């Protein structure tokens, strides 16, 4: 007879398998067995699989110390009939008994994402990504400095940024290790750099829009929407790179996390409706070559401020009415 | 020669002793005569039954009218359900007083008492000459009535809110007491001090006018609602007047860098300047001009109105590039908001907008406007506006103003004059 013995984890994931032939097939810790299990709770000559004349399979317990249990943890008899696909526990090890005709899982198509993430898992892509990241951060620090330029400090800032990105990547890699997923460290690094650069790019675009048209409610809504999408992308990517969850599970997990964060944001922004004594506005100024908006006339500017007067008056009246209650 | 100078010294010492003796005598006589007409005013909190503010008051007619400062009775005016007024007379007797009328802009209040005084002050009809001896009466720090000699020094110059300069020591608690001439006529009402013998009085004309108005209000049980309405009208008239004066006055310009900015804004705004040029290692130059109305109108607690502030900052740099300098510009536009005193129960939150506009000189600028409304005084607003000139990446002008307690029309009128006063040269 020819059998396949799979070594499986508690949740039935195949870790290793062995194919062997003979009758009986011996299982134990000693090296003269057909199937050797490296577990100190398994006896040297623990068990045998035996096929009788009619072709029936039996698992024989050779008076072992810890015996043999089925998948549910129930002790089995010393001569137990076996069906193909049955799972038993010897010592701490789970095994599944199959024959060569047992069906295997259907072939998975290599996913585009999977092949892409493999393709970019090279040190030279990461080197380019870090270089771009360093250049962008250094330039941003340079353009934001209004005191005397000290280049060594600006470069130091850039290196801090790189260190942070590498640290986050290692953290994701560590999770991948914990969740038994293949660690693609360079892919992770590229992904983190991509996310950070996207945030910076969108902030820059936001600054140009605010400079031109002010902080409008449409802009604020768009800003929130984009931030949430970026958060979704980051979480999705992190789950994908650090766990072996299915795509559907990843999507559900990351979307619910984003919704949770949104919920917290909404709760924390609930207004106590107290009067704020300082203006809540933070105007943006950029050089004139970022100016695309058509300047308003003085009259239309005044018209817009007229609505501020009536809004303020309405608020004052509302507060008066509320305090009289 | 020696003998002559000694003679002179002796003679002058003799003369001085006569004069000072006469002064003492006069003060003593005045005080003795008028003491029964002086009272201490207290604003009593109804919950704790304790005084929340004290000041001095004086009778001006035998029918029971008392004069004091508005700021002494402000709590009772603004929250009549929480505070009541009483006074302690010369014989240490406590009596009730009711509010008749106030002049919030000039810090005066008229109260009424059913007690008729035996002695009262009469209001002077004309101001004394500069340098004339006068006597301030009052109860400083609750220590008892005193008399303080001083010198009348005319109306404070270059000030929108008229005050008499008094060289003499006024102290807290003397607020609302009278300052009298040597003839015993009231020439002003004690109001504030700037320390070092520099004190201020409300001019007598303001009191004469308010007193005449108060006599018109026959009904003594004046409703608080109408008092608030009168204050609202006083604030409205006051701001209309000061914005109109600012608007109609000639603004003289001078050139700073490539921009021209107002050097003086009429005679009521006081301007001061500074720059950071003496600072080491600075990457940019900021030259600042700040102009403001010297004082404001007290309403209550920390709520003040009736002030105007204007600021211009010219910023220039050869060392910084356009993006770096834009940061400096932005920080200046952000940090530029003047702080205006009001409590959370007094006003609404600010409503703001920012946008790009072009003024009539065809200069493109970014403007930020923030407006909040007064809750108790309808149609009065605090208005802040700040603007930055664009079009040049090496220099700019940040100009801003803050107007306290103005109407929408006045704010818009001032805005138009202000934005058109900013220009590149």
């Amino acid at each position: 007879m020819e059998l396949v013995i799979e070594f499986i984890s508690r949740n039935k994931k195949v870790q290793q398998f062995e194919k062997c032939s003979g009758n009986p097939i011996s299982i134990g810790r000693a090296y003269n067995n057909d199937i050797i299990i490296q577990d100190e709770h398994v006896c040297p000559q623990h068990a045998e699989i035996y096929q009788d004349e009619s072709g029936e399979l039996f698992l024989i317990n050779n008076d072992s110390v810890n015996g043999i249990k089925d998948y549910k943890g129930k002790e089995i008899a010393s001569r137990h009939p076996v069906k193909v696909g049955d799972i038993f526990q010897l010592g701490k090890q789970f095994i599944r008994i199959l024959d060569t005709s047992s069906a295997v899982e259907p072939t998975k198509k290599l996913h585009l994402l999977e092949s892409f993430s493999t393709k970019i898992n090279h040190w030279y892509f990461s080197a380019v990504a870090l270089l771009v990241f360093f250049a962008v951060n250094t330039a941003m620090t340079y353009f934001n400095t209004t005191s005397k330029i000290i280049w060594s400090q600006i470069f130091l800032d850039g290196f801090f940024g790189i260190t942070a990105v590498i640290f986050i990547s290692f953290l994701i890699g560590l999770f991948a290790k914990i969740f038994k997923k293949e660690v693609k460290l360079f892919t992770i690094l590229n992904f983190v750099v991509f996310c950070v650069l996207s945030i910076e790019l969108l902030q820059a675009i936001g600054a140009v829009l605010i400079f031109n048209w002010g902080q409008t409610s449409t802009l604020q809504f768009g800003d929130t929407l984009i931030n949430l999408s970026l958060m979704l992308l980051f979480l999705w990517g992190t789950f994908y790179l650090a766990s072996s969850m299915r795509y559907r599970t990843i999507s559900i997990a990351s979307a619910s996390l984003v919704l949770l964060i949104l919920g917290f944001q909404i709760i924390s922004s609930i207004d106590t409706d107290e009067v704020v004594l300082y203006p809540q506005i933070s105007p943006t100024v950029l050089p004139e070559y970022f100016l695309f908006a058509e300047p308003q006339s003085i009259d239309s500017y005044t018209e817009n401020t007229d609505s501020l007067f009536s809004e303020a008056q309405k608020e004052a009246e509302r507060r008066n009415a509320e305090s009289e209650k | 020669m020696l003998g002559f100078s000694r003679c002179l010294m002796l003679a002058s010492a003799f003369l001085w002793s006569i004069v000072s003796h006469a002064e003492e005598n006069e003060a003593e006589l005045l005080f003795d005569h008028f003491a029964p007409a002086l009272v201490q005013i207290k604003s009593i909190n109804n919950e704790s039954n304790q005084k929340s503010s004290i000041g001095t008051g004086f009778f001006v007619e035998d029918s029971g009218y008392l004069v004091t400062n508005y700021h002494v009775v402000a709590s009772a005016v603004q929250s009549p359900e929480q505070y009541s007024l009483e006074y302690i007379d010369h014989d240490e007797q406590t009596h009730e007083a009711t509010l008749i009328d106030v002049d919030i802009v000039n810090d005066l209040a008229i109260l009424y008492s059913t007690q008729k005084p035996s002695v009262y002050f009469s209001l002077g009809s004309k101001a004394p000459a500069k340098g004339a001896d006068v006597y301030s009466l009052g109860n400083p720090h609750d220590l008892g009535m005193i008399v303080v000699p001083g010198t009348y020094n005319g109306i404070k110059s270059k000030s929108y809110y008229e005050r008499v300069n008094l060289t003499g020591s006024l102290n807290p608690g003397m607020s609302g007491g009278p300052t009298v001439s040597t003839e015993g006529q009231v020439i002003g009402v004690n109001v504030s001090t700037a320390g070092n013998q520099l004190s201020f009085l409300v001019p007598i004309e303001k009191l004469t006018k308010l007193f005449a108005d108060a006599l018109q209000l026959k009904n003594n049980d004046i409703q608080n609602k109408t008092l608030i309405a009168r204050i609202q009208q006083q604030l409205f008239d006051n701001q209309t007047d000061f914005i109109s004066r600012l608007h109609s006055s000639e603004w003289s310009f001078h050139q700073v860098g490539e921009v021209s900015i107002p050097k003086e804004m009429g005679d009521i705004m006081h301007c001061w300047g500074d720059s950071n040029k003496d600072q080491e290692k600075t990457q940019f130059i900021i030259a600042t001009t700040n102009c403001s109305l010297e004082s404001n109108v007290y309403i209550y607690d920390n709520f003040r109105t009736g002030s105007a502030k204007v600021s211009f900052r010219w910023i220039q740099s050869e060392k910084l590039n356009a993006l770096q300098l834009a940061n400096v510009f932005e920080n200046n536009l952000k940090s530029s908001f003047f702080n205006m005193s009001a409590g959370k129960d007094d006003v609404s939150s600010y409503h703001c907008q920012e946008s790009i506009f072009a003024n009539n000189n065809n200069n493109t600028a970014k403007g930020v406007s923030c407006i909040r409304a007064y809750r108790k005084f309808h149609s009065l607003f605090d208005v802040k506006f700040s603007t930055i000139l664009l079009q040049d990446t090496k220099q700019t002008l940040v100009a801003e103003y803050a107007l306290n307690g103005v109407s929408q029309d006045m704010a818009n009128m001032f805005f138009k004059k202000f934005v058109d006063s900013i220009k590149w040269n």
Side-chain angles (χ1 to χ4, degrees), chain A residues 26-295:
Chain A
S26 61
I27 305 171
R29 188 151 50 85
Y31 298 129
N32 60 356
N33 286 295
D34 298 316
I35 304 288
I36 302 166
I37 301 175
Q38 287 280 16
D39 179 353
E40 56 194 6
H41 307 97
V42 173
C43 289
Q45 310 296 327
H46 199 110
E48 271 175 16
I49 301 170
Y50 159 81
Q51 188 172 36
D52 71 1
E53 297 82 25
S54 57
E56 293 280 319
L57 287 173
F58 292 95
L59 186 60
I60 317 270
N61 182 5
N62 293 335
D63 294 331
S64 63
V65 175
N66 291 311
I68 301 172
K69 290 170 188 156
D70 64 7
Y71 183 64
K72 287 172 182 162
K74 212 177 128 194
E75 195 88 30
I76 59 165
S78 60
R79 188 186 151 91
H80 184 81
V82 173
K83 289 197 304 295
V84 166
D86 277 355
I87 297 171
F88 298 99
Q89 188 184 5
L90 287 77
K92 276 187 164 178
Q93 182 63 55
F94 285 91
I95 59 165
R96 177 159 40 200
I97 300 167
L98 297 170
D99 65 12
T100 45
S101 62
S102 297
V104 291
E105 293 266 307
T107 315
K108 264 190 191 165
K109 197 170 160 18
L110 195 59
H111 201 274
L112 208 62
L113 195 65
E114 197 63 39
S115 65
F116 178 70
S117 78
T118 312
K119 226 180 248 175
I120 60 166
N121 189 25
H122 290 292
W123 68 268
Y124 41 86
F125 286 126
S126 293
V128 171
L130 286 179
L131 206 68
V132 171
F133 180 71
F134 180 75
V136 168
N137 271 13
T138 310
M140 270 174 41
T141 318
Y142 171 73
F143 285 122
N144 278 323
T145 307
T146 56
S147 53
K148 201 165 163 46
I149 300 290
I150 301 167
W151 282 106
S152 54
Q153 272 183 10
I154 290 178
F155 285 140
L156 197 66
D157 276 1
F159 281 117
F160 275 137
I162 286 187
T163 317
V165 165
I166 291 176
F167 178 75
I168 294 169
S169 307
F170 269 101
L171 214 63
I172 297 173
L174 190 71
F175 278 112
K177 196 95 187 151
I178 291 169
F179 293 114
K180 305 241 161 51
K181 168 95 177 185
E182 181 196 356
V183 181
K184 293 173 184 162
L185 197 60
F186 294 117
T187 305
I188 295 172
L189 201 63
N190 295 342
F191 170 70
V192 173
V193 169
F194 171 77
C195 284
V196 176
L197 285 179
S198 312
I199 292 168
E200 284 174 355
L201 178 72
L202 286 165
Q203 274 174 349
I205 293 172
V208 173
L209 292 177
I210 293 174
F211 172 58
N212 279 281
W213 292 282
Q215 184 68 270
T216 59
S217 51
T218 332
L219 203 60
Q220 249 162 350
F221 179 71
D223 184 57
T224 316
L225 210 65
I226 286 169
N227 276 333
L228 289 176
S229 328
L230 269 178
M231 207 186 305
L232 187 68
L233 174 77
F234 180 74
L235 288 172
W236 204 96
T238 307
F239 283 141
Y240 170 73
L241 289 167
S243 76
S244 14
M245 291 192 281
R246 279 176 302 161
Y247 293 146
R248 227 171 72 100
T249 324
I250 291 178
S251 304
I252 291 169
S254 45
S256 18
L257 259 176
V258 168
L259 285 177
L260 196 71
I261 293 166
L262 182 69
F264 280 134
Q265 273 182 355
I266 290 171
I267 290 168
S268 67
S269 68
I270 289 175
D271 218 334
T272 51
D273 196 31
E274 267 204 14
V275 170
V276 184
L277 291 174
Y278 298 92
Q280 302 289 297
I281 190 166
S282 178
T284 304
V285 178
L286 290 172
E288 207 217 345
Y289 43 78
F290 288 109
L291 183 63
F292 308 111
E294 189 62 32

Side-chain angles (χ1 to χ4, degrees), chain B residues 303-369:
Chain B
F303 188 22
R304 279 148 208 276
T305 185
S307 71
K309 287 175 188 156
V310 180
S311 168
F312 300 96
R313 280 193 293 281
W314 175 73
I315 307 162
Q316 190 251 351
S317 177
E318 292 298 332
K319 293 179 184 162
L320 298 178
N321 63 42
L323 273 166
Q324 291 169 330
L325 202 54
N327 280 302
V328 179
F329 295 169
E330 183 179 302
N331 291 338
N332 264 278
L333 194 63
K334 276 179 188 167
S335 68
S336 57
F337 290 113
F338 297 112
N339 184 17
M340 290 200 272
S341 47
K344 290 188 174 180
D345 298 336
D346 308 328
V347 287
S348 73
S349 293
Y350 278 106
H351 293 251
C352 299
Q353 68 160 26
E354 61 170 307
S355 57
I356 306 281
F357 68 91
N359 66 7
N360 289 335
N361 308 318
N362 233 346
N363 296 141
T364 309
K366 159 156 272 199
V368 183
S369 291

Side-chain angles (χ1 to χ4, degrees), chain B residues 172-359:
Chain B
M174 291 179 76
S175 285
T179 292
V180 295
S181 63
T182 44
E183 291 85 41
Q185 290 200 316
V186 180
I187 58 102
V189 180
N190 308 341
V191 67
S192 62
T193 175
N196 278 342
Q197 299 263 332
L198 189 55
S199 299
F200 301 107
L201 310 175
V202 181
I204 188 65
E205 308 86 72
K206 308 290 181 194
L207 178 57
T208 314
K209 186 177 175 302
L210 177 67
F211 195 61
D213 288 352
L215 290 178
Q216 300 278 317
L217 300 166
K218 289 204 177 81
N219 184 5
N220 286 343
D221 297 321
I222 196 153
Q223 291 294 308
N224 180 259
K225 257 259 153 46
T226 57
L227 201 54
I228 291 292
R230 283 173 66 78
I231 291 173
Q232 135 99 27
Q233 189 61 45
Q234 288 170 2
L235 292 176
F236 189 88
D237 292 345
N238 177 57
Q239 61 85 18
T240 306
D241 184 57
F242 86 64
I243 298 291
S244 307
R245 263 176 77 177
L246 261 180
H247 183 261
S248 61
S249 62
E250 203 59 47
W251 296 5
S252 65
F253 290 85
H254 64 155
Q255 194 170 340
V256 180
E258 295 285 309
V259 296
S260 102
I261 60 171
K263 187 178 168 65
E264 292 289 341
M265 309 174 82
D267 53 353
I268 52 173
M269 295 286 273
H270 293 234
C271 297
W272 305 88
D274 197 8
S275 85
N276 69 340
K277 211 166 182 177
D278 50 352
Q279 281 173 16
E280 278 180 45
K281 289 182 184 169
T282 180
Q283 301 288 296
F284 49 89
I285 297 166
I286 299 185
T288 314
T289 301
N290 290 324
C291 303
S292 63
L293 220 56
E294 209 79 310
S295 53
N296 50 36
V297 176
Y298 172 88
I299 300 180
Y300 59 88
D301 284 346
N302 57 356
F303 188 22
R304 279 148 208 276
T305 185
S307 71
K309 287 175 188 156
V310 180
S311 168
F312 300 96
R313 280 193 293 281
W314 175 73
I315 307 162
Q316 190 251 351
S317 177
E318 292 298 332
K319 293 179 184 162
L320 298 178
N321 63 42
L323 273 166
Q324 291 169 330
L325 202 54
N327 280 302
V328 179
F329 295 169
E330 183 179 302
N331 291 338
N332 264 278
L333 194 63
K334 276 179 188 167
S335 68
S336 57
F337 290 113
F338 297 112
N339 184 17
M340 290 200 272
S341 47
K344 290 188 174 180
D345 298 336
D346 308 328
V347 287
S348 73
S349 293
Y350 278 106
H351 293 251
C352 299
Q353 68 160 26
E354 61 170 307
S355 57
I356 306 281
F357 68 91
N359 66 7

Side-chain angles (χ1 to χ4, degrees), chain B residues 79-100:
Chain B
S79 318
E81 64 290 339
Q82 266 190 63
Y83 298 92
S84 50
L85 295 174
E86 58 185 41
Y87 70 92
I88 299 172
D89 67 10
H90 183 56
D91 305 319
E92 298 292 321
Q93 298 295 308
T94 303
H95 306 280
E96 267 182 33
T98 42
L99 272 163
I100 302 298

Side-chain angles (χ1 to χ4, degrees), chain B residues 379-399:
Chain B
S379 299
L380 291 180
F381 302 88
D382 279 348
V383 178
K384 289 179 176 201
F385 172 71
S386 50
T387 183
I388 182 163
L389 280 178
L390 303 173
Q391 293 166 310
D392 192 326
T393 50
K394 286 282 167 205
Q395 60 174 317
T396 196
L397 176 72
V398 176

